[in-house]
Coordinates of all heavy atoms in Angstrom, one line a residue:
Q1172 N 87.7 120.7 96.8 CA 86.5 121.6 96.8 C 86.9 123.0 96.2 O 86.0 123.6 95.6 CB 85.9 121.7 98.2 CG 85.3 120.5 98.7 CD 84.6 120.6 100.0 OE1 83.5 121.2 100.1 NE2 85.2 120.1 101.1
A1173 N 88.1 123.4 96.4 CA 88.5 124.7 95.8 C 88.4 124.7 94.3 O 88.0 125.7 93.6 CB 89.9 125.1 96.3
L1174 N 88.8 123.5 93.7 CA 88.7 123.4 92.2 C 87.2 123.6 91.8 O 86.9 124.2 90.8 CB 89.2 122.1 91.8 CG 90.7 121.8 92.0 CD1 91.1 120.5 91.5 CD2 91.6 122.9 91.5
L1175 N 86.3 122.9 92.5 CA 84.9 123.1 92.2 C 84.4 124.5 92.3 O 83.7 125.0 91.5 CB 84.0 122.1 93.0 CG 82.5 122.1 92.8 CD1 82.2 121.8 91.4 CD2 81.8 121.1 93.8
A1176 N 84.9 125.1 93.4 CA 84.5 126.5 93.7 C 85.0 127.4 92.6 O 84.3 128.4 92.1 CB 85.1 127.0 95.0
I1177 N 86.2 127.2 92.1 CA 86.7 128.0 91.0 C 85.9 127.8 89.7 O 85.6 128.8 89.0 CB 88.2 127.6 90.7 CG1 89.1 128.1 91.9 CG2 88.7 128.3 89.4 CD1 90.5 127.6 91.8
I1178 N 85.5 126.6 89.4 CA 84.7 126.3 88.2 C 83.4 127.0 88.3 O 82.9 127.7 87.4 CB 84.6 124.8 88.0 CG1 85.9 124.2 87.6 CG2 83.6 124.5 86.9 CD1 85.9 122.7 87.6
I1179 N 82.7 126.9 89.5 CA 81.4 127.5 89.7 C 81.5 129.0 89.6 O 80.7 129.7 89.0 CB 80.8 127.1 91.1 CG1 80.5 125.6 91.0 CG2 79.6 128.0 91.4 CD1 80.0 125.1 92.4
Q1180 N 82.6 129.6 90.2 CA 82.8 131.0 90.2 C 83.0 131.5 88.7 O 82.3 132.5 88.3 CB 84.0 131.4 91.0 CG 84.4 132.8 91.0 CD 85.5 133.1 92.0 OE1 85.3 133.3 93.1 NE2 86.7 133.2 91.5
F1181 N 83.8 130.9 88.0 CA 84.1 131.4 86.6 C 82.9 131.2 85.7 O 82.5 132.1 84.9 CB 85.3 130.7 86.0 CG 86.6 131.2 86.5 CD1 87.8 130.5 86.3 CD2 86.7 132.4 87.1 CE1 89.0 130.9 86.8 CE2 87.9 132.9 87.6 CZ 89.1 132.2 87.4
F1182 N 82.3 130.0 85.8 CA 81.1 129.8 84.9 C 79.9 130.6 85.3 O 79.2 131.1 84.5 CB 80.8 128.3 84.9 CG 81.6 127.5 83.9 CD1 82.9 127.1 84.2 CD2 81.1 127.2 82.6 CE1 83.6 126.4 83.2 CE2 81.8 126.5 81.7 CZ 83.1 126.1 82.0
G1183 N 79.7 130.7 86.6 CA 78.5 131.5 87.1 C 78.7 133.0 86.8 O 77.7 133.6 86.2
Y1184 N 79.8 133.5 87.1 CA 80.1 134.9 86.8 C 80.1 135.1 85.3 O 79.5 136.1 84.7 CB 81.4 135.4 87.4 CG 81.7 136.9 87.2 CD1 81.5 137.7 88.3 CD2 82.2 137.4 86.0 CE1 81.8 139.1 88.2 CE2 82.4 138.7 85.9 CZ 82.3 139.6 87.0 OH 82.5 140.9 86.8
G1185 N 80.8 134.3 84.6 CA 81.0 134.4 83.1 C 79.7 134.4 82.4 O 79.4 135.2 81.5
Y1186 N 78.8 133.5 82.8 CA 77.5 133.4 82.1 C 76.6 134.6 82.4 O 76.0 135.2 81.5 CB 76.7 132.1 82.5 CG 75.3 132.0 82.0 CD1 75.1 131.9 80.7 CD2 74.2 132.1 82.9 CE1 73.8 131.9 80.2 CE2 72.9 132.1 82.4 CZ 72.7 132.0 81.1 OH 71.4 131.9 80.6
G1187 N 76.6 135.0 83.7 CA 75.9 136.2 84.1 C 76.3 137.4 83.3 O 75.5 138.3 82.9
F1188 N 77.7 137.6 83.2 CA 78.2 138.7 82.5 C 77.8 138.7 81.1 O 77.5 139.8 80.5 CB 79.8 138.7 82.7 CG 80.5 139.9 82.1 CD1 80.7 141.1 82.8 CD2 80.9 139.9 80.8 CE1 81.3 142.2 82.3 CE2 81.6 141.0 80.2 CZ 81.7 142.1 81.0
L1189 N 77.9 137.6 80.4 CA 77.6 137.5 79.0 C 76.1 137.7 78.8 O 75.7 138.5 77.8 CB 78.0 136.1 78.5 CG 77.9 135.9 77.0 CD1 78.8 136.8 76.2 CD2 78.2 134.4 76.6
K1190 N 75.3 137.2 79.6 CA 73.8 137.4 79.5 C 73.4 138.8 79.6 O 72.7 139.4 78.9 CB 73.1 136.5 80.5 CG 71.6 136.7 80.5 CD 70.9 135.8 81.6 CE 69.4 136.0 81.7 NZ 68.8 135.2 82.8
S1191 N 74.0 139.5 80.6 CA 73.7 140.9 80.9 C 74.2 141.8 79.8 O 73.6 142.7 79.3 CB 74.3 141.3 82.2 OG 74.0 142.7 82.5
T1192 N 75.5 141.5 79.3 CA 76.0 142.3 78.2 C 75.2 142.2 76.9 O 74.9 143.2 76.3 CB 77.5 141.8 77.9 OG1 78.3 142.0 79.1 CG2 78.1 142.5 76.7
F1193 N 74.7 141.0 76.6 CA 73.9 140.8 75.4 C 72.6 141.5 75.6 O 72.1 142.2 74.7 CB 73.6 139.3 75.2 CG 72.8 139.0 74.0 CD1 73.4 138.9 72.8 CD2 71.4 138.7 74.1 CE1 72.6 138.6 71.6 CE2 70.6 138.5 73.0 CZ 71.2 138.4 71.8
T1194 N 72.0 141.5 76.8 CA 70.7 142.1 77.0 C 70.8 143.6 76.9 O 69.9 144.3 76.3 CB 70.2 141.7 78.4 OG1 70.0 140.3 78.5 CG2 68.8 142.4 78.7
L1195 N 71.9 144.2 77.5 CA 72.0 145.6 77.5 C 72.5 146.2 76.2 O 72.0 147.2 75.7 CB 72.9 146.0 78.6 CG 72.5 145.7 80.1 CD1 73.5 146.2 81.1 CD2 71.1 146.2 80.4

Side-chain angles (χ1 to χ4, degrees):
Q1172 290 186 73
L1174 297 183
L1175 179 57
I1177 291 171
I1178 292 171
I1179 291 174
Q1180 177 174 275
F1181 282 163
F1182 275 80
Y1184 185 103
Y1186 173 66
F1188 184 88
L1189 189 61
K1190 177 181 178 180
S1191 182
T1192 298
F1193 182 81
T1194 301
L1195 300 182

